[in-house]
Amino acid sequence: MKCTLLFGGTFDPIHYGHICSAKALLEKFDESSLVMVPCRIPPHRPQPMASAGDRLQMLKLAVAEESGLEVDDCELKRQGPSYTFDTLSAYRKKTGCESPLYFVLGHDAWVTLPTWYRWVELVDLAHLIVLGRPGQFADEPEELKNWVQDRRVTLEDSQSEPCGKVVGINLAPIHISATAARRALACGRPVDDMVPKPVERYIVERQLYVTEH
Ligand code: ATP
């Protein structure tokens, strides 16, 4: 069945950790699309360094040659904090109530879920896919552990329902983060192993991330 996958983030900048994970994930679905949704004002983490316009442009450059990957600037156009709840509500209206909708997040973001706006209701709108990510992150809080217990299913089982489940997926680990890319750029080191060439060119032309803060 055709599904819609949404991958939210600051994408400051987009890197191969995002792109390769998105592509590998999409291979597990038939005829589906994955939409990267950059946030304007992240409510649960430090604010991005690059402007919304630059982050959007870098995303567009990165997905230009990737079939199946798309970008939606809906959160950039909305006023106020970029709540995932609002984005999923809007997508649920668009897709209707039958077809599976997935929100994709990495493990580091997953463990912060109980701090998110209306987090318990997110699964009334979509399934969650939690991607394993190399590195050390906070433990899953007890509240989240208890909540997820009877919601965890396999990807296959989730596809028969439109929302309500949590799927953990471990893809080939990619040791790249936007923080590492920003640090490298601030030190004048090349980032060609972290971001696609057109994105690197854009960063250099616009002199983004020349300082770490
Ligand atoms: P920063 O280093 O600034 O915190 P980031 O690399 O985590 O940034 P984000 O834009 O914040 O990038 O990430 C968007 C989403 O992608 C988050 O859910 C995050 O967990 C996930 N993600 C980022 N990098 C990876 C990776 N290498 N593997 C799996 N998931 C990732």
Side-chain angles (χ1 to χ4, degrees):
M1 179 187 277
K2 186 173 168 16
C3 308
T4 306
L5 289 89
L6 305 180
F7 196 178
T10 45
F11 303 109
D12 186 29
I14 180 151
H15 54 69
Y16 286 129
H18 303 124
I19 301 163
C20 299
S21 301
K23 283 165 68 178
L25 186 58
L26 204 49
E27 278 174 17
K28 298 181 181 293
F29 290 83
D30 292 329
E31 299 170 23
S32 298
S33 55
L34 185 145
V35 188
M36 308 263 193
V37 187
C39 62
R40 192 173 78 92
I41 301 178
H44 319 105
R45 49 161 293 150
Q47 297 306 303
M49 265 185 84
S51 70
D54 282 333
R55 290 182 291 117
L56 177 63
Q57 199 50 41
M58 290 187 279
L59 270 161
K60 285 184 176 167
L61 290 169
V63 306
E65 281 161 29
E66 305 287 355
S67 66
L69 302 190
E70 297 166 21
V71 180
D72 183 355
D73 62 357
C74 62
E75 292 192 356
L76 303 182
K77 288 183 187 147
R78 261 195 335 251
Q79 291 304 303
S82 307
Y83 292 124
T84 298
F85 178 84
D86 296 338
T87 304
L88 295 182
S89 301
Y91 264 86
R92 186 41 87 193
K93 274 192 198 130
K94 260 197 265 183
T95 61
C97 41
E98 298 293 318
S99 87
L101 177 63
Y102 289 85
F103 182 74
V104 182
L105 70 173
H107 187 78
D108 56 312
W110 162 251
V111 296
T112 70
L113 197 73
T115 66
W116 291 25
Y117 175 67
R118 299 179 73 167
W119 71 277
V120 167
E121 293 163 81
L122 297 179
V123 289
D124 297 337
L125 300 162
H127 297 304
L128 302 183
I129 290 183
V130 183
L131 298 178
R133 186 171 178 187
Q136 292 207 320
F137 306 110
D139 290 338
E140 220 172 46
E142 280 307 307
E143 188 184 14
L144 187 60
K145 248 187 225 167
N146 296 335
W147 176 82
V148 77
Q149 245 173 27
D150 51 2
R151 291 186 172 82
R152 274 193 205 280
V153 296
T154 61
L155 183 57
E156 204 175 30
D157 285 347
S158 70
Q159 286 175 337
S160 55
E161 297 181 47
C163 57
K165 304 296 179 198
V166 178
V167 182
I169 297 187
N170 284 314
L171 302 165
I174 303 160
H175 296 257
I176 302 175
S177 68
T179 305
R182 290 194 301 272
R183 277 199 191 127
L185 287 158
C187 300
R189 290 199 304 269
V191 287
D192 49 325
D193 53 348
M194 297 192 208
V195 308
K197 203 72 203 155
V199 173
E200 188 181 13
R201 249 184 258 125
Y202 184 89
I203 290 172
V204 172
E205 268 164 30
R206 304 269 304 174
Q207 298 193 328
L208 304 180
Y209 312 116
V210 287
T211 60
E212 249 190 72
H213 300 288

